[in-house]
Amino acid sequence: MTRLPVLDQVLLALVVANILALIVFHFVQTDIFHTVYAIEDGPAEWATAVLLFLSFTVLARHALRFAGAGERRAVVTMAVGAFLFFFAAGEEISWGQRIFGWQAPEIITDNSHRAETNLHNLKVGDVKLVKVLFGNVLTVVLLGWLVGLTLLYARSARIAAWADRWAVPVAGHRHAVLVLAASVVIAVVDLQRKWEVYEFIFSLVALSIFLYPQNGHVFARKSDPVPADARTGPRDA
């Protein structure tokens, strides 16, 4: 059995710790959870923003390296991913509004259920984007990437070849299991601001995937050693 890198062990251990914390706080029902840990601008939210920004830097570096190698499809994937994670990091801290103390533009406050400089709190009529686009739709997309692609990559040569050609980071089975476990726990526990911790868990898993994807050979530099268990090419199960 291949031993995981130390950083990956730390990231995944934090995921497990947060899942267990959700379960414990569900039964203990103390205000400490939503007034200290998961509070607005609290440890979970700031850690999420930092991790999302780290994912942005990892993807941006890959984009630059692929650009230098002339791999255009990979550049597109990495550039889009880098943009999305930079955007997510900015949204998480309302683009610095509470850090620097500015007021949100009127065009946003007039169409938002919170006076913050971000898009995920906007609403169209009575419909809140955070619940529809950034909630249900995004959840389906992320689970499709984190679980669906993970399972199909090892079973379909065509899908594996597509993922490798476009440099789509494929989650490992450990990532898929933890995401499913976290999703089940989140659906069951009764806690205020539990979604802040879910976002923190996602940011940990995402960074782990980008650093140590199942198709790591796609992102390894020519001079990097190839792990013994690395895929040498797509194959059907």
Side-chain angles (χ1 to χ4, degrees), residues 1 13-14 67 71 77 95 99 119 126 192:
M1 183 176 179
L14 288 172
E71 300 181 38
T77 301
W95 300 99
I99 298 174
L119 298 182
D126 293 328
Q192 294 183 43

Side-chain angles (χ1 to χ4, degrees), residues 109-121:
T109 57
D110 288 347
N111 297 281
S112 174
H113 64 281
R114 295 181 66 177
E116 296 182 357
T117 309
N118 52 48
L119 298 182
H120 68 272
N121 284 320

Side-chain angles (χ1 to χ4, degrees), residues 4 8-25 37 174-175 177-179 181-182 185 197 200-202 204-205 208:
L4 297 176
D8 199 25
Q9 293 181 46
V10 171
L11 292 172
L12 300 182
L14 288 172
V15 172
V16 173
N18 276 274
I19 293 174
L20 294 177
L22 286 168
I23 297 173
V24 170
F25 280 117
Y37 186 60
R174 64 192 184 281
H175 301 122
V177 169
L178 288 174
V179 167
V185 170
V197 178
F200 181 30
I201 289 173
F202 166 75
L204 286 164
V205 172
S208 175

Side-chain angles (χ1 to χ4, degrees), residues 5-91:
V6 174
L7 178 56
D8 199 25
Q9 293 181 46
V10 171
L11 292 172
L12 300 182
L14 288 172
V15 172
V16 173
N18 276 274
I19 293 174
L20 294 177
L22 286 168
I23 297 173
V24 170
F25 280 117
H26 170 73
F27 288 106
V28 174
Q29 286 296 323
T30 172
D31 290 343
I32 293 176
F33 179 79
H34 60 267
T35 60
V36 178
Y37 186 60
I39 192 174
E40 189 82 15
D41 289 333
E45 187 170 52
W46 277 105
T48 299
V50 170
L51 288 163
L52 291 172
F53 186 79
L54 288 176
S55 287
F56 154 72
T57 62
V58 171
L59 295 173
R61 288 183 62 187
H62 283 315
L64 292 174
R65 186 171 61 82
F66 283 130
E71 300 181 38
R72 296 181 180 178
R73 284 175 291 200
V75 172
V76 171
T77 301
M78 292 296 97
V80 170
F83 168 78
L84 291 176
F85 275 81
F86 181 80
F87 176 80
E91 287 282 294

Side-chain angles (χ1 to χ4, degrees), residues 132-149:
V132 181
L133 182 58
F134 292 98
N136 300 333
V137 175
L138 186 59
T139 298
V140 171
V141 172
L142 291 177
L143 287 178
W145 168 49
L146 294 171
V147 179
L149 182 58

